[in-house]
Every structure is written in C-alpha cells, then in structure tokens.
C-alpha cells in the first residue's frame, strides 16, 4: 500500500516537472535578435554631408580594456578608494569618468553581452552564467563590437582573464589565457595570472585590442564583503595595473605617432561588469549592485579638470550616471566600425567632442538608423524611412502619431538635413537642435525596447500552467485519501475542512502574498510574522505552565534569530548582528563559533549517554552485554568523528578567513593547532567529508543496535529516534563548513528552539513528556483547540524562516557562492552546484530533518504506522509546493509586462524552481525513501 502510494506520488511529481518544463521554456526563452552582422555598405547616405566629406575618420586605432569584476563606483570615485593614481588622472582632466548603470541580472555573462553587443540580455543568462560548459549563449552568430573590429578593421584581439569571454566569442581572439570565474576562494593567483601578461603582451607590436579581465576583487566581495581588510590592497593592486598600462601606452603612442603620420592614439578603458551589495554579492537590481564605472584614458581624452583637488573632488562622478550599454555605439564610432545591429545604447557625447559638428551629427545619424532598425524588427507595422525623402519634408509633427518613434526619427533626420543648407551664423543652433532630436528619439526607443521582451511563448506557458494545475489537483486528491480514517483535506464524516485554522490561514495568506512585488521582496517578514504568531497561539492554548514557559523562551530565541541577518530589498543595509560580528566584534564572532562547536559536542555526549540509559541498559546475559558494548563502541566512534568534523569545519573557516589573527592567537600557536588537520584548505574540507561518512555509518549501526535492545514497538521507537537525532545533529559539521562564519551560532539557536519542543530532550527532562500539569486556560480550552498549531506546523514555518534568517532573500544577489568550493580544487558544475545548494539552503535542510525527528519522538508507533505518517508528510509537502508553484506561475504569466518582471518576479520563480526540484524532490522525497 505504501509503495503504491509512493509510485502514484512519483508519477504526479513527474507530471508536475513536465509542466514546469513547459512553463520555463515559454517564460525564459532566448531574446529574439536581428540576425546577421552590420556592414558599412548597409549604412544610410549622409543626410547632412557637405562638400566631399564622406565619413568621419576614426580617432583611435588601438584599445586596451581593463575589466575589473564587481568594480563598484565608490571603489574608484569614493573618498575611501585606494585607487589614487586613477583618481589623480580624473582630477587633472586626463581621464573621463562615469557611473555606469547596469541592468539586472547583475552577473558576469549578461553584463559582458551588454558591454559588447549593446543589448538587454535575457534573464536566463543569469542561470547559464554558472554553467561553464554552456555554449548556447555564445555571441558567435550575433553582431557585436569585437566581431566588427576584427572583420571591418582587421584588428588583432587578445584576451587574458575570465574565460567567460572565450565562451561568448569563440573565434575572435588570437591569444588567450582564460581563468575560471567561479573559483571564488582564489583572490591572488587569479589576478596574478592576468597581470603576468600585461607588460610582455603590451610591449609587443602584434596587437590592436587587448582585454584584461580581473576577478580577484569580486572574489573578495563574495568571501568577506566590500569592507574586507583585503579590499583596499586589491584596489591598490588594480590601481598599479592602471598606472602601468597608462604609462606604457602613452610612451608607445608617442613613439608610434612620431614615426608614422597615420598612427592614431590608444584608447584605455577601465570598467566593471557589475558592482556588489553591502555583503559582497550581486545579481539583483539594488543601487549598489548596478553602479559600476567607466573611466576613459589615453591621448585625445580630455576631461574637465576638477577645480577642487580635495578628498571630495570626485564625488560628483558618483551621480554622473550613464547606461552601461552606451559603451558599444561609443566605441564603434570612435573606431569607425558599424554599430552592432541589436544595440540599444546611445553614444556618449563627451567622447565625441573631438569631431566636428557635421561629423558628430553623422555619427548620431548612424546610431539612430541602427536603433530604428531594432524598432522595426520589434514592430513590423512601423514603416521604413527614406532618408532622402525625409530631407525634403516640411517640418514633421508628432502629435497623435500612431508610430511616435518613427515620427521622432523622421524629425531628427529633417533637423539634421537643415544643417547642410544653413548659413554659418545659424548652424550652431540647428546642430544643437538636431543633436537633441536624435537623442530624444534614441532615449525613447531605448526605454521602450528595453521593456519589450517579445520572446514569450505564451502557448507553452499556458500548457505548463494547465499541467501544473492537473498535478496539483492530483496531489490534493492523494492527500484527501492519505489517512486511514475519514480525514484528509475535508473530513468525510462532517464535510468540514480538516485543516487547523492556522494551517489554512497560512496557506491562503502565502498564496495571496505572491501577488505583490513588495511581499515577494520582503517575504522574510511574512515568515517571521507567522512563526511568532504560531508560538503565541501555542502559549494561548498551552495545557501547562511549563509548556507556555518553554514556548516563551522559543519566542525570545527566535527574536534573536530574526535580528541576526537583515535581508530583503528595502532595508538590507540596516545594522544587524551580522554587521557587528563582521566589524567591531569580529573576535566575538569566532568566540561564539568556538562556543557553538563545544556546545554541540557536549549535547551530543549527553544525548548518547542518556538515550543509552533509557533504551538500552545492559542485561545479565552475555548476548545483551555484547549488544551494549557494541552500542557504546559505535557511539564512541560517532562522537569522535563528530568532534573531529566540527573542529575541522571551524578550523577551516578560521584558516580561510585568518580568524586566528582576529582572536589574537600567535601564529606559532595556531600552527600547532593546524598540525592536527591535513595541510591545505581543500584537504581540511576532505577530512570533514570523511568524518561525515564515518558519522553516517556509525549512526546507522547505533540505530540497528538500539532496535536490538528492546523488542516490538519500543525497539522500533528507539532505532528511529537514534537515527533521526543522530542525522539531525550529525549534519551540523557540514553546515558549519559551508556557512558564513557569523551564521554558525544560528544553528545552536535552531537546535535550542527545537529541543524546547520536547522536554525529554532537555537535560533533566523525563522521557514521559512535559513536566507539570497545571492548565493555563481551562474554561476556553475547547474553543481554542482548533487554534492550536501542531509542532510540525510551527517547524514548517521555521523551515522557511530559517532560509531568510541566514541572510537569503528572493534576489539573486543573496545567492552565496563563497562556500561552494570547500574541498574542490578544480571547477565542477555538479559539485559546485550541490555545495552551493547546501550552503544556501542550510537552514531548511536542518529544519526539514528536524520535522522528521519530531515524528520519531512520538512514542508508540509501529513501523507501518511510521511509514504511513512519513508518506503523509511528503504528500502534504508536495501539495504545499504545488499550490505555490501553480499560483506563482499564474502570477508571473499575468505580470509578464510588469515593470518588475525581471527584477522581482523572475528571480522569485527561479527560487521556486530550486525549492521544488532541489528541496522537495531531491531532499524531501528522495531522502524520505531512506527511512522507509
């Protein structure tokens, strides 16, 4: 019966996965683009040409691009920046700087696409960004700046650094040396591997464009945040590279232009792909994550010198914002190549000052012509424009026009044409009018086209919703028939809702909360509210003063948990406990970590000792004595492996973050401590993994031996309790290893909250249940009975709340990859993906196991009864996630034209996919099979 129900459940979940596949295919398609590559012969005639002038002459013939990953604008322009040389160039007017605004998702691959193609990348690129083996997102057959430089100016292009460039542009580069962008524990060699190419390659004369992509600053952000002690030295290191490149190309340009009249100077561009938030992550659309930099340097670059040379001189550049995609048409025009076909960026007019008015208008015409092509590709109803006819029109008007963008484009062409026939006296005013008209058209087109994602496959989305809906109904039907009696979702005898009022209210309010973008951004508030509400209800309906007191303590502990990490979108930078533990009280963070490890080991010893006394006292016969001795031996092995694993996991964190310096431990003393562990961080992690294997084996043996101590139901109870509690606490070393150091103490708070649900797990508690039997509410207890949430409902709320309590949110920026490489020396998508999931879902993984342990702590169940209850739990969990997935699918389908679709709803849907596939299917369902 059990296995038949599991087979039905598996088939329904498989159907739901198919529906999810349909919906994802329709909702996350690749963005449509104009095929082919722009050609010089496709460019329109110059509407304002005078005399024999045909095309503007390129201002540069070489270029160096230095891309520093996660280079936030205040790292260059801010008062606390360590990039003094770069700031000096800006103050002296020898460089031009901007705050470059990136669009979500703020991860490397889509940002490089934006920087080289001028497009708004597809949100799916944020997922493909993690897959190093992915080639489907390549720009090989999509128009881009590098292709134009290589094929229309015959440029030799080299690249050193992040190997994402090699995947995006497979046939572009002549020389390469790629490094993995995801091995975030490396902050030194990953940059040294790039810098070693700077001087040797630039001193050669066989290059035209060279790209250096540095990753170390981004890795420091992921590991320790923007306020890390490592951040300023890394900024100084990048500043030194800027100085070396600038001085080298300046010297070379002077020699080249002296010996060749046709030589042009070299353009040097310092930029970032994205920035980072207050904890060092990125991926979302907060101001900190989207504010990166452009700094243009080289001969011919003449900025406005800052009259104020003081510390705050560059603060104005923090507010001098330009879209990041504006780089593409600017560089294309400066090098005299066609603007890529799908570009949506506008030329930076500050960089075009070296051209005459007529040349500059021609450049704006070329860019406007290219953008108008994108307009027509997205709306076939827009008619083409004949440039020659536009020049001979009367003044066009755009009032009540059906195609406003076309009208604005025609108006700009007409104003441009008037400049060719104007007198010298009136030309300047006409040129300004024409420039404003071009920018007016291009800005409006950029705004409209950036929101136009016409690639939705609506039928596929509809099929997906339909299939998910069918699967949800099937799961509800399975849940309705799940128990032996007449209960289910609806009680068959009374025809009333069988769910408790708190459970029903929780589900309804949660589904409704997904309709609001603000509630999605601040989902942690929802779960924090419901945890405390459930605990208040348990106090109000408690049968004893002791139970009410324990619940009150749980509320206090959870309030501390809530204050640990500030998350969400509205107040992520507010002061929290994490802030103090990572700044002025860093020593206390490590001290708390040590206390947490000691506390877990002490409790593990007490639990094994007490449980052994309760369930397995040695008998008088030799057989029972042998079982007892074996049990003691297995428990000793378990505790020894647990102690070494927790010690190794904490030592790994201290070593990686140099916490021994913060604690004031002399280096010689820490060396003696390290001698107890293998050499190297990877081997330290391997030792922890090996101990976890020993814990799993010895824990299994302990459970089997306990079942032999007593016969019947008592023996089955003892085995299940041993296995569940050992699994719950045995996974702690893994979570310590893969969590941020300041979060280690949270697992002690989680464990304390859990233990307070069960007095028999408290030191001094009896195995018979809660002590004290004084009713708190007597007269109204019957009325309040349906308001009392069960322990599993409260733990379910704690499960979701713990995800946010560890600092996560529904933004990709909170996705932590800093601990995803523990024990990995080479990048592996599967290994990194598993470790990243465990790291980010550490809280839910622990509380999910806690729910299982709660089931085992109810005495008196046969093995068959326990199996039925376990399958019931898995079914209920899938009903919950299916309802959520269905509601969210409908919401994002209806909101697909909403302003926040890509910054709020799409990341939330990706997280829901991870909850469904990673948590409910792989952890809850597959993991439950081990207990059957």
């Amino acid at each position: 019966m059990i296995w038949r129900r599991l087979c039905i459940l598996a088939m329904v979940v498989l159907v739901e996965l198919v529906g999810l596949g349909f919906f994802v295919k329709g909702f996350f398609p690749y963005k449509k683009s104009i095929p082919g590559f722009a050609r010089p012969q496709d460019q329109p005639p110059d509407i304002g040409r005078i005399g024999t002038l045909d095309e503007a002459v390129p201002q540069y013939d070489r270029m160096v691009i230095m891309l520093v990953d996660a280079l936030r604008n205040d790292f260059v322009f801010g008062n606390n920046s360590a990039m003094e040389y770069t700031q000096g160039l800006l103050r002296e007017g020898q460089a031009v700087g901007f705050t470059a605004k990136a669009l979500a998702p703020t991860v490397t691959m889509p940002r490089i696409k934006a920087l080289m193609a001028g497009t708004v990348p597809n949100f799916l690129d944020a997922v493909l960004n993690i897959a190093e083996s992915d080639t489907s997102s390549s720009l090989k057959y999509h128009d881009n700046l590098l292709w134009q430089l290589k094929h229309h100016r015959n440029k030799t292009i080299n690249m050193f650094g992040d190997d994402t460039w090699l995947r995006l542009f497979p046939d572009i580069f002549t020389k390469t040396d790629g490094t993995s962008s995801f091995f975030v524990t490396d902050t030194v060699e990953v940059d040294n591997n790039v810098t070693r190419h700077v001087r040797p390659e630039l001193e050669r004369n066989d290059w035209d464009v060279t790209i250096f992509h540095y990753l170390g600053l981004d890795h420091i952000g992921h590991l320790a945040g923007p306020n890390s002690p490592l951040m300023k030295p890394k900024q100084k290191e990048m500043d030194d590279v800027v100085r070396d490149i600038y001085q080298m190309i300046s010297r070379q340009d002077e020699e080249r232009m002296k010996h060749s009249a046709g030589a042009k100077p070299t353009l040097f561009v310092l930029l970032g792909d994205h920035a980072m938030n207050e904890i060092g992550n990125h991926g979302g659309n907060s101001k900190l994550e989207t504010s990166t930099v452009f700094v243009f340097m080289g001969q011919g670059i003449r900025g406005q010198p800052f009259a104020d040379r003081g510390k705050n001189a560059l603060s104005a550049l923090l507010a001098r914002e330009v879209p990041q995609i504006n780089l593409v048409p600017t560089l294309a025009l400066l090098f005299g190549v066609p603007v890529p076909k799908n570009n949506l960026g506008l030329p930076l007019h500050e960089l075009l000052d070296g051209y005459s008015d007529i040349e500059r208008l021609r450049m704006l015409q070329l860019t406007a012509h290219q953008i108008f092509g994108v307009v027509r590709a997205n709306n076939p109803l827009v008619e083409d424009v004949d440039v020659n006819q536009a020049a001979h029109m009367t003044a066009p008007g755009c009032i009540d026009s059906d195609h406003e963008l076309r009208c604005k484009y025609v108006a700009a062409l007409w104003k441009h044409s008037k400049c060719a026939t104007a007198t010298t006296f009136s030309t300047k005013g006409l040129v300004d009018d024409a420039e404003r008209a071009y920018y007016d058209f291009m800005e409006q087109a950029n705004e409209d086209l950036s929101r136009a994602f016409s690639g939705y496959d609506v039928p596929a989305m509809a099929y997906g919703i339909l299939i998910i809906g069918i699967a949800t109904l099937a799961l509800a039907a399975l849940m309705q028939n799940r128990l032996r009696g007449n209960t289910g979702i609806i009680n068959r005898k009374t025809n009333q809702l069988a769910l408790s009022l708190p459970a029903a209210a929780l589900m309804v309010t949660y589904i409704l909360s997904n309709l609001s973008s603000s509630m999605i951004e601040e989902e942690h508030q929802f779960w924090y509210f419901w945890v405390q509400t459930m605990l208040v209800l348990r106090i109000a309906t408690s049968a004893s003063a002791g139970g009410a007191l324990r619940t009150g303590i749980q509320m206090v502990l959870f309030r501390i948990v809530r204050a640990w990490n500030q998350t969400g979108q509205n107040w992520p930078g507010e002061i929290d406990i994490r802030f103090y533990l990572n700044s002025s009280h860093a020593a206390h963070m490590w001290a708390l970590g040590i206390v947490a490890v000691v506390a877990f080991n002490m409790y593990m010893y007490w639990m094994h000792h007490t449980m052994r006394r309760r369930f397995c006292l040695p008998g008088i016969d030799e057989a029972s004595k042998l079982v007892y001795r074996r049990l003691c031996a297995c428990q000793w092995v378990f505790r020894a492996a647990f102690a070494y694993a927790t010690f190794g996991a904490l030592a790994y964190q201290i070593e990686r973050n140099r916490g021994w310096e913060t604690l004031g431990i002399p280096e010689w003393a820490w060396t003696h401590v390290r001698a107890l562990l293998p050499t190297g961080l990877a081997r330290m992690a391997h030792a922890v993994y090996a101990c976890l294997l020993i814990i799993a084996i010895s824990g299994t043996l302990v459970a089997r031996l306990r079942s032999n101590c007593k016969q019947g139901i008592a023996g089955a109870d003892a085995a299940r309790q041993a296995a569940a509690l050992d699994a719950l606490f045995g996974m702690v070393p893994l979570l310590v290893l893969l969590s941020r150091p300041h979060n280690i103490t949270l697992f002690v708070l989680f464990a304390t909250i859990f233990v307070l649900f069960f007095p028999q797990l408290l030191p001094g508690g009896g195995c018979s249940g809660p002590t004290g039997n004084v009713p708190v509410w007597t007269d109204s207890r019957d009325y309040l009975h349906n308001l009392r949430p069960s322990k599993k409902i409260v733990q379910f709320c704690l499960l979701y709340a713990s995800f946010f309590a560890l600092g996560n949110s529904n933004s990709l920026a909170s996705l932590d990859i800093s601990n995803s490489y523990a024990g990995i020396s080479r990048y592996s998508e599967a290994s990194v993906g598993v470790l990243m999931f465990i790291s980010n879902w550490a809280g839910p993984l622990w509380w999910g196991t806690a729910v299982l342990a709660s089931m085992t702590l109810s005495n008196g169940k046969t093995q068959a009864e326990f199996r039925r209850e376990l399958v019931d739990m898995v079914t209920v969990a899938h009903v919950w996630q299916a309802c959520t997935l269905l509601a969210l699918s409908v919401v994002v389908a209806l909101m697909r034209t909403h302003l926040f679709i890509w910054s709020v709803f799409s990341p939330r849907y990706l997280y829901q996919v991870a909850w469904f596939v990673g948590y409910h299917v792989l952890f809850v369902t597959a993991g439950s099979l081990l207990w059957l």
Side-chain angles (χ1 to χ4, degrees), residues 155-375:
K155 300 296 184 183
T156 299
I157 307 175
N158 302 329
M159 196 290 301
F160 306 98
D162 188 349
D163 59 5
T164 303
W165 292 82
L166 305 182
R167 287 183 281 147
L168 289 175
F169 310 101
D171 299 324
I172 292 294
F173 305 113
T174 303
K175 293 182 182 179
T176 62
D177 186 6
T179 57
S180 175
S181 60
F182 293 100
F183 204 69
V184 296
T185 54
D186 178 13
T187 64
V188 178
E189 292 301 321
V190 71
D191 284 347
N192 291 344
N193 202 44
V194 178
T195 302
R196 68 189 177 94
H197 292 288
V198 171
R199 188 168 295 276
E201 292 299 332
L202 293 185
E203 286 181 344
R204 301 168 65 93
N205 59 5
D206 60 351
W207 64 274
D208 297 301
V209 177
T210 300
I211 300 169
F212 300 108
H213 189 145
Y214 285 89
L215 294 163
L217 187 138
D218 175 67
H219 290 184
I220 290 173
H222 283 297
L223 289 171
N227 299 316
S228 165
L230 300 175
M231 187 60 75
K232 282 197 174 182
K234 179 59 69 174
Q235 293 175 10
K236 179 65 168 60
E237 178 187 340
M238 295 296 98
D239 195 49
D240 291 342
V241 176
V242 171
R243 182 197 60 215
D244 291 345
I245 294 176
Y246 182 81
Q247 292 177 351
M248 228 181 309
I249 63 173
S250 296
R251 185 177 62 253
Q252 291 172 356
D253 285 349
E254 186 177 345
E255 292 295 324
R256 290 170 55 246
M257 297 170 73
K258 184 186 299 181
H259 294 91
S260 174
K264 302 291 182 182
T266 303
L267 179 63
F268 179 22
V269 186
L270 169 68
L271 70 159
D273 52 350
H274 51 75
M276 64 175 69
N277 60 18
E278 67 284 340
I279 63 172
N281 288 339
H282 53 86
N285 68 328
S286 69
K287 185 176 181 64
L288 290 177
E289 296 164 77
T290 58
S291 300
T292 183
V293 302
F294 287 154
V295 180
F296 296 91
M297 296 165 276
Q299 293 189 33
I301 296 294
R302 291 294 177 263
Q304 182 68 35
F306 287 82
D308 177 11
R309 303 297 176 87
K311 195 173 183 180
N312 298 317
L314 302 179
S315 59
L317 297 180
L318 296 172
R320 190 182 186 183
E321 297 179 350
V322 297
Q324 196 180 45
I325 56 176
N326 287 8
L327 180 72
V328 174
T330 303
L331 295 183
L333 297 174
L334 290 176
F335 281 84
V337 297
V339 179
K341 276 192 171 184
N342 294 285
N343 163 70
L344 296 180
L346 285 63
L348 295 170
H349 64 85
E350 293 89 343
L351 273 294
L352 303 182
D353 287 343
Y355 293 98
S356 67
D357 290 343
I358 300 303
E359 288 176 323
R360 195 163 58 252
L361 284 177
R362 171 58 174 167
M363 291 178 169
L364 295 179
Q365 181 197 354
L366 293 175
T367 310
H369 171 78
Q370 173 268 316
I371 292 179
F372 185 67
V374 182
V375 171

Side-chain angles (χ1 to χ4, degrees), residues 712-731:
I713 294 177
D717 276 343
R720 286 194 297 268
Q721 289 183 20
L725 291 174
D726 284 349
L728 179 63
F729 290 96
M731 69 193 303

